[in-house]
Amino acid sequence: MRILFAAALSLLASLAQADNHARIQLLGDSLMATNVLTGRAIPNVIERALGEDVENRSVTGAMIRGITRQYRAGDFDWVILNGGGNDLWLGCGCNECGPRLSKVITRDGRDGYLPDLVRRIRKDGARVIYVGYLRSPGFGSPIEHCLDEGNELEARVSRMARGVDGVWLLSNKDLVPEGDKSFHAFDRIHPSVKGSRAIGNRVAAAIRQLDDL
């Protein structure tokens, strides 16, 4: 019930922004949506860092098919997104997830829901940054056993990014020092306010750098 309530509030927050004229659209799951109700989620951090609006359409609990439906074509320069983690954790329990992972993105990074979405976005003209997931701090996280699957997902996204012009992977595998719980919320899955701030500032820095190219 808590997850459904949070998802509903996150969706309402994203829809409230749907009519603005932002040049940045953000898609994803709870990595992006966590802390949105207090105005300290990743998209809020990006807005403050860049001094401009971000159209946030992320929804807690979203799987990759849902994330593909979040996308709204428009006059955007950037689409920031994440996704696939819930497909592995909730969809197959991070156990023998090969077929499900390949539905998200194949080993070569060319096919699957995620590459299809990225190609659609690129066709519409926006550049894309895929934001990688937090790694656990090593303190009994419920997703500790998903490390191998998460690393494989990111490796496949990296191959996709190398093969499609205008697409970048922003990995967060080096963000959390071993044993440092401060980047995670109490559940040791989602980002704390500090974690959201760190990731949002990384995204903003990447946009600033790439805008100058």
Side-chain angles (χ1 to χ4, degrees):
M1 181 65 71
R2 172 185 278 178
I3 291 176
L4 292 176
F5 180 67
L9 290 176
S10 180
L11 178 60
L12 289 173
S14 67
L15 292 176
Q17 301 181 53
D19 293 328
N20 68 21
H21 299 288
R23 73 182 186 104
I24 302 170
Q25 183 176 173
L26 185 142
L27 321 174
D29 56 30
S30 55
L31 177 74
M32 301 296 196
T34 296
N35 300 314
V36 72
L37 296 181
T38 60
R40 295 182 289 181
I42 289 170
N44 305 123
V45 175
I46 297 171
E47 286 184 326
R48 287 191 287 271
L50 296 179
E52 58 182 293
D53 290 337
V54 173
E55 184 178 305
N56 174 26
R57 301 181 67 81
S58 63
V59 176
T60 295
M63 293 192 179
I64 193 65
R65 291 184 68 180
I67 291 170
T68 65
R69 291 191 288 268
Q70 292 172 11
Y71 174 62
R72 182 182 69 86
D75 188 22
F76 296 101
D77 294 333
W78 290 100
V79 173
I80 313 303
L81 64 90
N82 83 303
N86 286 328
D87 295 78
L88 301 178
W89 183 42
L90 302 177
C92 54
C94 294
N95 182 35
E96 298 184 3
C97 287
R100 186 173 290 270
L101 177 55
S102 289
K103 288 184 179 181
V104 176
I105 182 170
T106 54
R107 189 180 300 275
D108 60 9
R110 295 180 180 178
D111 296 299
Y113 287 112
L114 180 57
D116 288 349
L117 172 61
V118 167
R119 282 192 292 267
R120 180 181 165 200
I121 295 168
R122 290 295 295 130
K123 185 177 180 180
D124 290 339
R127 290 183 284 176
V128 177
I129 296 176
Y130 178 95
V131 180
Y133 287 96
L134 283 172
R135 300 322 196 257
S136 76
F139 277 89
S141 167
I143 58 170
E144 193 72 34
H145 66 293
C146 293
L147 179 61
D148 290 344
E149 288 79 7
N151 286 340
E152 177 62 22
L153 168 63
E154 192 161 298
R156 296 184 183 195
V157 173
S158 179
R159 294 182 196 114
M160 176 187 71
R162 291 197 301 268
V164 183
D165 183 59
V167 179
W168 290 268
L169 165 66
L170 194 160
S171 176
N172 285 300
K173 65 182 179 181
D174 63 339
L175 181 63
V176 181
E178 181 66 23
D180 188 342
K181 295 180 282 187
S182 66
F183 288 86
H184 288 76
F186 70 93
D187 60 7
R188 298 179 187 170
I189 299 173
H190 299 99
S192 63
V193 169
K194 177 180 177 178
S196 292
R197 182 171 62 247
I199 295 171
N201 282 329
R202 281 187 166 195
V203 174
I207 290 175
R208 281 194 295 264
Q209 180 178 2
L210 293 168
D211 272 343
D212 291 337
L213 294 180

